[in-house]
């Protein structure tokens, strides 16, 4: 049985207060904001959600809140960002009691890169420890998995049922789509080229732009599925201008600013990440005014 996930799955931001605590009330409203935009799933705990800063207890609490708020309306993908096999397994086990459709797991992201066999053992141990499908988030620049390696993982490890492909190389994504095993899925995190990803046949997206613009991304997905590529290209141009305005080393902060500007308080980034600067905010406001004309 294949992974039953498709479409727009925003990686939810995590609202923090000024002292760095999770603002649970704001997080609940954020989930509802996304559901109201008719997203096809949600993904708390990812990089857009500053998941690398979460303790295991915070991670578990976010997943519990998400499960309660979603109440089965859409699938939940749990983002796991960990530097050890042991910790990744512990995080997965901590939420095994919840209705989680899949785990989005990064390869080890610290400076020291495991070789291909060590990476294989890492995902093998994880998928054998818990009975939850794994989507590998291929994003770590110095631990980047090539298409052959990813297809091997999906073929040899039944628990690995999807890839979230990041970076800007659409040729790599096209190769991956060409060889992806039956029942497995490829999700785009190539934010600048979501339209192109959808046109190539990506099964959906879990990316920063959907976190900031869930309604616009749902509209783009529906437009491409309907075959209206003239309108989809028009949407792409506006969405690319937005991406160019929001991208930065403090991207999660800028995503939160974008969401807050749409009337949903997304809180602050967790220190030491700086908040959106005045210059960034001005660029975001200009791009946002244009792209929201496509909001679903």
């Amino acid at each position: 049985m294949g992974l039953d996930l498709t479409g727009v799955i925003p990686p939810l931001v995590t609202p923090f207060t000024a002292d760095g605590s999770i603002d649970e009330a704001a997080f609940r409203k954020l989930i509802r904001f996304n559901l109201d935009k008719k997203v096809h799933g949600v993904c708390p705990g990812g990089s857009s959600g500053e998941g690398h800063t979460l303790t295991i207890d915070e991670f578990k609490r976010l997943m519990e809140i998400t499960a309660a708020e979603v109440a089965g309306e859409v699938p939940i993908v749990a983002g796991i960002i960990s530097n050890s096999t042991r910790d990744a397994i512990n995080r997965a086990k901590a939420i095994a009691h919840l209705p989680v459709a899949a785990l989005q797991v990064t390869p080890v992201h610290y400076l020291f890169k495991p070789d291909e066999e060590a990476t294989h053992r890492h995902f093998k141990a994880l998928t054998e420890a818990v009975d939850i499908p794994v989507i590998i988030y291929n994003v770590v620049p110095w631990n980047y998995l090539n298409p052959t390696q990813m297809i091997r993982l999906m073929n040899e490890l039944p628990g690995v049922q999807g890839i979230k492909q990041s970076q800007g190389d659409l040729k790599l994504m096209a190769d991956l789509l060409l060889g992806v095993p039956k029942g497995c899925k490829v999700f785009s995190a190539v934010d600048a080229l979501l339209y192109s990803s959808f046109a190539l046949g990506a099964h959906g997206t879990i990316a920063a732009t959907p976190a900031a613009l869930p309604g616009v991304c749902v509209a783009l997905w529906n437009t491409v599925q309907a075959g209206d590529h003239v309108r989809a290209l028009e949407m792409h141009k506006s969405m690319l201008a937005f991406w160019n305005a929001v991208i930065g080393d403090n991207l999660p902060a800028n995503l939160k600013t974008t969401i807050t500007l749409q009337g949903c308080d997304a809180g602050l980034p967790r220190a030491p990440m700086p908040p959106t600067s005045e210059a960034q905010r001005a660029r975001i406001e200009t791009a946002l005014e244009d792209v929201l004309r496509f909001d679903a």
Side-chain angles (χ1 to χ4, degrees):
M1 188 169 79
L3 187 63
D4 189 19
L5 284 173
T6 191
V8 176
I9 305 170
L12 303 175
V13 301
T14 306
F16 295 110
T17 62
D19 69 359
S21 302
I22 295 174
D23 187 335
E24 293 190 5
F27 185 60
R28 290 180 185 274
K29 291 177 181 177
L30 179 77
I31 294 170
R32 180 50 52 189
F33 171 76
N34 279 272
L35 294 177
D36 288 346
K37 298 296 184 181
K38 307 301 181 186
V39 298
H40 305 104
V42 293
C43 178
S47 51
S48 293
E50 297 166 83
H52 59 288
T53 74
L54 300 174
T55 67
I56 192 167
D57 288 338
E58 290 174 329
F59 167 80
K60 180 181 177 183
R61 181 59 182 155
L62 281 183
M63 300 307 155
E64 290 173 340
I65 293 172
T66 304
E69 287 296 316
V70 167
E73 192 171 332
V74 296
I76 299 169
V77 178
I80 293 180
I81 302 175
S82 176
N83 270 313
S84 75
T85 304
R86 180 176 182 272
D87 182 66
I89 290 172
N90 286 341
R91 286 177 182 260
K93 286 183 174 180
I95 60 168
H97 63 292
L98 297 172
V100 173
L103 306 173
Q104 174 192 276
V105 185
T106 59
V108 174
H109 61 282
Y110 192 53
L111 184 60
F112 304 109
K113 174 184 176 180
D115 60 23
E116 184 171 329
E117 292 307 314
T119 295
H120 192 279
R121 291 194 298 271
H122 173 73
F123 285 107
K124 183 175 188 291
L126 175 60
T127 55
E128 290 178 348
V130 292
D131 190 25
I132 308 173
V134 167
I135 298 169
I136 297 175
Y137 181 9
N138 193 31
V139 67
V140 183
W142 49 88
N143 193 9
Y144 206 52
L145 281 58
N146 61 52
T148 301
Q149 185 178 3
M150 289 186 283
I151 290 169
R152 178 194 171 198
L153 285 164
M154 286 185 281
N155 275 322
E156 296 184 4
L157 303 179
V160 176
Q161 296 185 18
I163 300 291
K164 172 180 167 181
Q165 180 54 39
S166 188
Q167 308 299 327
D169 187 349
L170 275 187
K171 172 62 164 58
L172 189 151
M173 176 172 287
D175 287 339
L176 188 58
L177 285 164
L178 195 64
V180 65
K182 184 177 180 181
C184 295
K185 301 288 181 67
V186 178
F187 298 91
S188 176
V190 185
D191 283 272
L193 298 168
L194 290 183
Y195 162 54
S196 305
S197 300
F198 296 166
L200 284 171
H203 299 98
T205 177
I206 311 172
T209 300
L213 302 172
V216 175
C217 291
V218 169
L220 176 66
W221 173 261
N222 291 339
T223 300
V224 175
Q225 301 312 302
D228 187 352
H229 291 279
V230 172
R231 180 166 177 80
L233 180 58
E234 181 186 1
M235 297 174 74
H236 157 75
K237 293 175 181 177
S238 185
M239 293 173 71
L240 178 57
F242 169 78
W243 178 244
N244 290 339
V246 79
I247 185 66
D249 289 336
N250 61 337
L251 176 61
N254 296 337
L255 301 178
K256 292 177 177 182
T257 296
T258 302
I259 296 165
T260 299
L261 287 169
Q262 294 172 78
C264 178
D265 183 7
L268 300 170
R270 180 170 262 181
M273 181 175 291
T276 301
S277 70
E278 288 302 315
Q280 287 176 320
R281 183 185 178 94
R283 292 194 295 270
I284 291 169
E285 287 178 337
T286 298
L288 185 62
E289 183 179 1
D290 178 66
V291 77
L292 283 181
R293 63 195 164 104
F294 299 111
D295 195 38

